[in-house]
Amino acid sequence: MGPNSQNLSSPSMPRFLGWAGLVPFGLTALCTHSGIDALMIYGFLGGTAYGAVILSFLGAVHWGLAMRNDRSPYWYVWSVTPALFGFASLVFLDVEMRVVALLPLFALTWLIDRQAANRGLIPNWYMRLRSMLTTGALISLAVMLLA
């Protein structure tokens, strides 16, 4: 493997953990369609809380990258933005509106990552994996919205 091989395919551990990270989204989406009141409530609460946690993780990637000192300090500002908006959705919105808020937040974080990838600030493998995982998250949230 050449020096750029890491840039072409995702390392196995991030790939495994990323796909495993979709399991809670899928389970909570299924719960919202269970027809069992308690499971439906826990599906919505768990799915939206998990979504907010994942948004925080996605922003934190940029905090770590900003610490390399070759990034604009404004990346620190962006790095906390998804967590703040995710938290605000949990505190200020009812359960259905949380899902409505999380959908564009995931899309926005993907767009920012796409810009970072276009500038060479994140590896190509990360962006490819990120695109697939974001699609999975968005599908799960859309399934919740249809419940």
Side-chain angles (χ1 to χ4, degrees):
M1 295 192 146
N4 291 330
S5 62
Q6 283 286 39
N7 215 21
L8 298 176
S9 65
S10 58
S12 59
M13 186 62 74
R15 188 173 52 244
F16 172 77
L17 293 172
W19 287 106
L22 284 180
V23 172
F25 274 122
L27 290 176
T28 56
L30 287 174
C31 286
T32 63
H33 288 272
S34 68
I36 302 168
D37 288 344
L39 277 180
M40 293 170 66
I41 291 168
Y42 285 121
F44 278 114
L45 293 174
T48 56
Y50 186 67
V53 167
I54 293 301
L55 284 171
S56 180
F57 171 82
L58 294 173
V61 167
H62 292 282
W63 183 283
L65 292 172
M67 289 191 299
R68 294 181 54 191
N69 293 326
D70 61 347
R71 306 287 193 272
S72 164
Y74 291 108
W75 282 105
Y76 285 113
V77 175
W78 166 249
S79 74
V80 299
T81 301
L84 293 173
F85 280 117
F87 174 74
S89 75
L90 295 178
V91 173
F92 298 114
L93 301 175
D94 66 34
V95 169
E96 288 182 10
M97 289 307 297
R98 288 177 188 175
V99 177
V100 171
L102 290 173
L103 285 163
L105 288 172
F106 271 91
L108 175 64
T109 59
W110 182 89
L111 288 170
I112 298 296
D113 278 2
R114 178 79 262 156
Q115 288 182 357
N118 289 343
R119 295 178 186 174
L121 300 176
I122 57 176
N124 289 331
W125 69 261
Y126 175 79
M127 197 62 224
R128 277 194 298 279
L129 180 62
R130 173 87 163 78
S131 295
M132 291 183 285
L133 297 177
T134 296
T135 299
L138 289 171
I139 289 169
S140 295
L141 290 167
V143 167
M144 286 182 207
L145 193 58
L146 297 173

